[in-house]
Amino acid sequence: MKKVVLTLLFICFAAISGFAQKPAQTPKPADDDDVVKISTNLIQVDVTVTDSKGKIISDLKPEDFEIYENGKKQEVTNFSFISAGSRTEQVAVNPKDKNAVPIPPSKVRPEQVRRTIALVVDDLTLSFESTYQVRRALKKFVDEQMEDGDLVAIIRTGAGIGALQQFTTDKRQLYAAIEKVKWNSIGAGGIGAFASIDSNLQNQSANNEENSDEEERDSLADLNEFRESIFATGTLGAINFIVRGMKDLPGRKSVMLLSDGFSLFTQTTNGFRDSSRVLDSLRLLVDLANRSSVVVYTLDARGLVVTGITAADNVSGLSPEQIQKQISGRSEKLFNTQEGLVYLAKQTGGIPIINNNDISGGIRKVLDDQSYYLIGYQPDEETFDPAKRRFNKLEIKVKIKGANVRYRSGFFGITDEKMQRPANLTPAQQITAALTSPFGISDIALNLNTVFRADAAYNSTISSFLNINTKNLKFSDEPNGDKKAVFDILAVSFGDNGIPVDQISKTYTITLPDEVYKKILDKGFTYFFSFPVKKPGAYQMRVAIRDHGSEKLGSASQFIEVPKLKKKRLTISGVALENLTFEQWTNLAKTNVKPETDPLNDTALRVFKRGTVLNYAYEIYNAKSVGGQKSQLQMQTRIFRDGKVIFENKPSQIDLTGQTDMQIVKSAGSIALGTEMQTGDYVLQIIITDSLAKKKQQIATQFVQFEMID
């Protein structure tokens, strides 16, 4: 019987063909009472009020506030307090634990999101030392500080950015993003906050200056200032892109910029401070953040910096004047680069965290700062008159002694309506919007399961099984009685930086006889496709569909990691599934005759009835063999519900009879789904142990999520 199960289920791996096409509808915006507004009849901004200890004051009334636009007092017409509330923390997942089962994230809807957080790692400025501290803080955030209802992205300013593709509730995806946070050797950051002082280099530099003309020295100084301003504007441009992508996302939206800072001004050789390049970029970013309801918090990753002489400095042979000049230069650089962080945070209503060695504590302070007031007033005609006002400055006061108030600095005299994208999106724009949204669009129900597989040459492939609910498609009646539907499919795989790697985009017309149409109404049909993987790593598979007849949309996504098989470590492929009735399973055991089942659909849907049998199949790579003897492999299965083990069998030896290629071992098994099992979501884990491998490399694990129904 086992041979039949293997043959039957590995149809899922062998059948790699497909259809496909383009993407959908923009994410539903949050309710009006949770959005900053800039319109001709309402200016509404969020305001944070804290006491002397930094704690949120939550019991203020409209009469406790005064709001001024360009110095003119306004009447408060809208007022509400939005509380972040408390949430249950997720169970921490240790990615280094081979036996740990990552709890698959549940599908998140916009109304379930409490906080949308972009952790922006400014690797264009981070030093080597700061990068190490930032990685530690990011891991602690994911392990201990991330909560239910958090939609999170970790994005590097020096990498390609596909901002929306990276917002997720999946901790595995965030761990993968953290692994990519490394020191950028071509950025502005050095090894430490400041370059160490070397007296030999200082004297050599002094001699060179004597031999070079003044014009050349000024040119080199200006070039260095220009280079730093380029990195600063690059950082701000990356944040601008992220904020633009967050505009339509729900919840309290925050950007946490982890950076070694940037200067607002460029110091020219004639002593003047040029502010045009960086400051202009900042002003545009501040306006966009204010309109998008995004608060920017800045965290100086350098911590509490010592500007004086340290053990790393070699000052022998330098005069006191030379030493003091170096110390003064460090102090000036620290002040200038922190000035940019402070300005950006305060102008968007955030907090600058500077001179603090505890980055994780700074992140906690930001997370606690998620309750705020929404205060609105009706603007007059001059607010949006470009001839009189280009930028409208806001000032908000609180009539409570000792209270600290933070708010957005102002806005340009353009209404949100004039800045919004056109409402009438083309079909291609609709399906693209559905694909890039961090939320699944469910007008057409989709179930996506993406698995990885490899051949003997270690060429990896990610194969996707997409079940499409036929009931959600609009079929037209043909003259001969057939049913016809036309739909677009767009499927894209994204790398760990949000950049598309592969895609297929097609339009399909399916015509079905009436009896076939009625047959697939119950379980839908499965569309499958595959992409070759050129480089191991973390990927996101995203799929969107648009029905021509009803103009309905659907989308789904899945995170998947492709391992480095060339390291020759024990690895398990993705898992193919099949559902049999107990009678079918019994007959199969007796006769070895293949029953009429649909493993492709079962692998895509992963929905099984109680009292049936779940067959599963997978491949094992890099099993060890010593002295010509066959591999010694054991298999164990567990079933989890709500993160707890509800079933665990004893390890059993894998039968390798008939298998000659130990580099790719095929294996399968069956589990009876008892009638006493509750309906809901479960996780099946497969654990393989290779007793011939090195001790630390003896275990590999794979899991697949499934749903139990009556």
Side-chain angles (χ1 to χ4, degrees):
M1 182 186 107
K2 187 173 182 180
K3 184 177 180 181
V4 176
V5 172
L6 280 167
T7 303
L8 183 65
L9 289 188
F10 277 97
I11 292 173
C12 292
F13 286 138
I16 305 300
S17 61
F19 357 127
Q21 147 108 11
K22 309 177 191 171
Q25 143 189 357
T26 56
K28 182 180 178 183
D31 296 336
D32 285 350
D33 63 351
D34 198 31
V35 178
V36 172
K37 288 183 173 300
I38 299 174
S39 63
T40 55
N41 58 6
L42 178 65
I43 305 295
Q44 184 167 262
V45 296
D46 51 338
V47 180
T48 302
V49 185
T50 58
D51 60 20
S52 58
K53 296 182 179 179
K55 294 184 178 180
I56 298 290
I57 300 176
S58 60
D59 57 352
L60 300 181
K61 299 177 176 57
E63 53 269 26
D64 295 324
F65 290 86
E66 290 181 349
I67 185 166
Y68 297 84
E69 180 191 285
N70 300 312
K72 182 179 179 181
K73 187 175 181 179
Q74 305 293 324
E75 180 183 354
V76 175
T77 59
N78 292 61
F79 184 86
S80 61
F81 179 74
I82 309 298
S83 175
S86 58
R87 292 164 293 281
T88 303
E89 292 193 5
Q90 296 180 349
V91 177
V93 179
N94 183 356
K96 295 182 180 180
D97 186 351
K98 297 292 184 181
N99 276 328
V101 179
I103 306 303
S106 57
K107 293 181 180 179
V108 62
R109 297 187 299 273
E111 61 270 20
Q112 294 175 313
V113 176
R114 300 294 298 179
R115 303 185 302 197
T116 298
I117 303 169
L119 291 152
V120 181
V121 180
D122 186 16
D123 59 351
L124 292 176
T125 69
L126 287 178
S127 68
F128 181 85
E129 293 175 353
S130 295
T131 303
Y132 171 76
Q133 299 299 333
V134 165
R135 281 174 59 94
R136 288 185 58 191
L138 292 175
K139 289 179 180 178
K140 184 171 183 178
F141 167 79
V142 176
D143 286 338
E144 304 175 14
Q145 297 172 324
M146 184 176 170
E147 299 178 348
D148 290 336
D150 286 349
L151 189 67
V152 180
I154 296 174
I155 307 171
R156 293 170 290 137
T157 58
I161 299 172
L164 282 178
Q165 288 78 27
Q166 294 172 271
F167 281 95
T168 182
T169 59
D170 192 337
K171 290 189 173 184
R172 297 169 301 153
Q173 185 173 330
L174 297 174
Y175 283 125
I178 294 171
E179 289 303 310
K180 289 294 182 179
V181 175
K182 298 176 181 178
W183 178 55
N184 188 346
S185 60
I186 63 172
I191 300 300
F194 305 112
S196 59
I197 300 172
D198 189 327
S199 60
N200 295 324
L201 292 177
Q202 293 293 321
N203 292 327
Q204 182 180 352
S205 176
N207 293 331
N208 290 337
E209 285 188 11
E210 291 179 2
N211 296 326
S212 63
D213 57 37
E214 184 177 353
E215 183 178 347
E216 182 181 352
R217 294 198 304 271
D218 290 348
S219 177
L220 289 173
D222 288 346
L223 181 61
N224 186 57
E225 290 285 348
F226 176 76
R227 179 175 179 269
E228 290 191 2
S229 70
I230 288 294
F231 283 123
T233 52
T235 295
L236 297 176
I239 302 172
N240 186 297
F241 187 89
I242 296 164
V243 170
R244 195 177 300 277
M246 295 175 72
K247 180 175 176 60
D248 293 321
L249 296 183
R252 172 68 160 171
K253 293 175 283 191
S254 304
V255 167
M256 298 188 207
L257 175 64
L258 299 110
S259 172
D260 274 7
F262 53 88
S263 299
L264 291 176
F265 303 94
T266 301
Q267 191 80 31
T268 60
T269 52
N270 56 13
F272 291 101
R273 301 180 81 191
D274 179 15
S275 65
S276 58
R277 182 186 298 275
V278 177
L279 205 52
D280 285 351
S281 297
L282 260 175
R283 285 169 176 162
L284 291 173
L285 173 58
V286 167
D287 181 67
L288 179 63
N290 291 346
R291 292 177 183 275
S292 304
S293 308
V294 177
V295 179
V296 181
Y297 298 87
T298 54
L299 298 93
D300 189 344
R302 295 168 295 190
L304 187 59
V305 180
V306 176
T307 59
I309 301 302
T310 67
D313 297 320
N314 176 16
V315 296
S316 60
L318 295 183
S319 66
E321 291 77 11
Q322 289 176 312
I323 295 175
Q324 185 57 46
K325 182 180 179 180
Q326 293 295 321
I327 294 174
S328 299
R330 288 177 171 180
S331 299
E332 183 179 3
K333 181 179 179 181
L334 178 63
F335 175 82
N336 290 340
T337 51
Q338 286 185 340
E339 187 180 23
L341 297 176
V342 172
Y343 180 89
L344 177 57
K346 288 189 174 181
Q347 294 296 305
T348 58
I351 305 171
I353 309 292
I354 60 176
N355 301 324
N356 187 334
N357 288 332
D358 185 5
I359 299 179
S360 295
I363 292 177
R364 169 49 59 194
K365 184 176 181 180
V366 171
L367 294 175
D368 291 339
D369 188 59
Q370 301 297 311
S371 297
Y372 56 97
Y373 294 90
L374 278 175
I375 303 175
Y377 66 92
Q378 294 180 347
D380 56 32
E381 295 180 357
E382 292 185 352
T383 298
F384 300 104
D385 185 349
K388 296 183 178 180
R389 296 177 186 169
R390 183 171 181 267
F391 187 82
N392 296 286
K393 184 178 180 181
L394 294 177
E395 184 181 5
I396 299 174
K397 300 179 180 179
V398 177
K399 304 175 185 177
I400 303 296
K401 187 176 181 180
N404 299 309
V405 58
R406 287 184 283 107
Y407 53 90
R408 303 174 186 276
S409 60
F411 56 93
F412 285 98
I414 305 172
T415 63
D416 289 337
E417 290 81 359
K418 291 184 179 180
M419 297 188 68
Q420 286 176 349
R421 294 169 293 184
N424 298 323
L425 300 179
T426 66
Q429 289 171 327
Q430 292 175 23
I431 198 170
T432 300
L435 185 92
T436 56
S437 169
F439 309 106
I441 308 297
S442 56
D443 292 341
I444 300 176
L446 303 177
N447 281 280
L448 175 67
N449 189 15
T450 299
V451 301
F452 104 90
R453 189 186 183 215
D455 60 20
Y458 295 126
N459 297 312
S460 296
T461 301
I462 48 177
S463 301
S464 295
F465 302 83
L466 179 71
N467 179 269
I468 302 171
N469 190 326
T470 315
K471 296 177 183 178
N472 297 145
L473 299 179
K474 186 175 182 179
F475 284 81
S476 60
D477 296 319
E478 296 294 285
N480 63 353
D482 289 349
K483 301 286 188 179
K484 185 177 79 171
V486 182
F487 55 89
D488 303 326
I489 287 184
L490 176 66
V492 181
S493 64
F494 292 92
D496 53 25
N497 57 4
I499 297 299
V501 178
D502 281 300
Q503 76 170 52
I504 49 178
S505 176
K506 294 184 180 179
T507 299
Y508 293 97
T509 300
I510 57 173
T511 304
L512 304 173
D514 188 59
E515 61 273 15
V516 176
Y517 167 73
K518 291 178 180 178
K519 187 176 180 180
I520 67 172
L521 276 179
D522 183 30
K523 288 190 175 181
F525 63 93
T526 296
Y527 164 77
F528 58 96
F529 58 93
S530 66
F531 292 141
V533 178
K534 299 176 182 177
K535 183 179 179 181
Y539 292 86
Q540 297 174 65
M541 179 59 64
R542 288 177 175 264
V543 183
I545 182 172
R546 181 183 181 275
D547 180 30
H548 284 209
S550 64
E551 298 187 352
K552 289 182 178 180
L553 297 154
S555 67
S557 65
Q558 184 177 332
F559 171 79
I560 184 169
E561 286 188 280
V562 179
K564 295 180 180 178
L565 292 176
K566 290 185 178 180
K567 286 189 171 183
K568 301 296 181 80
R569 292 184 177 179
L570 188 69
T571 306
I572 309 175
S573 73
V575 183
L577 303 173
E578 179 194 33
N579 196 205
L580 282 75
T581 65
F582 189 75
E583 182 181 2
Q584 287 175 320
W585 187 82
T586 303
N587 291 336
L588 178 62
K590 292 179 180 178
T591 65
N592 261 5
V593 176
K594 176 184 176 299
E596 292 187 8
T597 60
D598 190 354
L600 293 180
N601 227 31
D602 292 340
T603 300
L605 265 177
R606 292 168 291 155
V607 176
F608 308 103
K609 291 185 177 181
R610 293 192 295 186
T612 62
V613 176
L614 170 62
N615 280 347
Y616 56 90
Y618 53 93
E619 293 177 339
I620 304 169
Y621 307 114
N622 295 328
K624 302 297 182 183
S625 58
V626 178
Q629 65 174 324
K630 284 192 174 182
S631 301
Q632 302 294 316
L633 300 174
Q634 286 189 325
M635 185 265 289
Q636 181 183 24
T637 56
R638 297 172 178 171
I639 293 181
F640 291 77
R641 178 178 171 83
D642 297 330
K644 299 179 181 178
V645 178
I646 64 166
F647 168 80
E648 181 178 21
N649 64 3
K650 294 182 179 180
S652 60
Q653 202 74 20
I654 294 179
D655 184 5
L656 301 177
T657 303
Q659 300 200 48
T660 57
D661 184 6
M662 292 299 102
Q663 189 175 345
I664 302 179
V665 174
K666 293 177 169 56
S667 184
S670 302
I671 293 179
L673 304 176
T675 55
E676 74 283 357
M677 295 179 69
Q678 300 179 15
T679 59
D681 293 326
Y682 291 83
V683 176
L684 168 65
Q685 183 191 29
I686 298 168
I687 302 172
I688 301 298
T689 303
D690 184 353
S691 59
L692 298 181
K694 294 180 181 179
K695 188 171 182 181
K696 292 184 178 181
Q697 300 176 8
Q698 288 185 343
I699 295 177
T701 182
Q702 185 63 273
F703 73 93
V704 60
Q705 188 179 10
F706 67 95
E707 181 183 0
M708 185 85 70
I709 61 174
D710 285 323

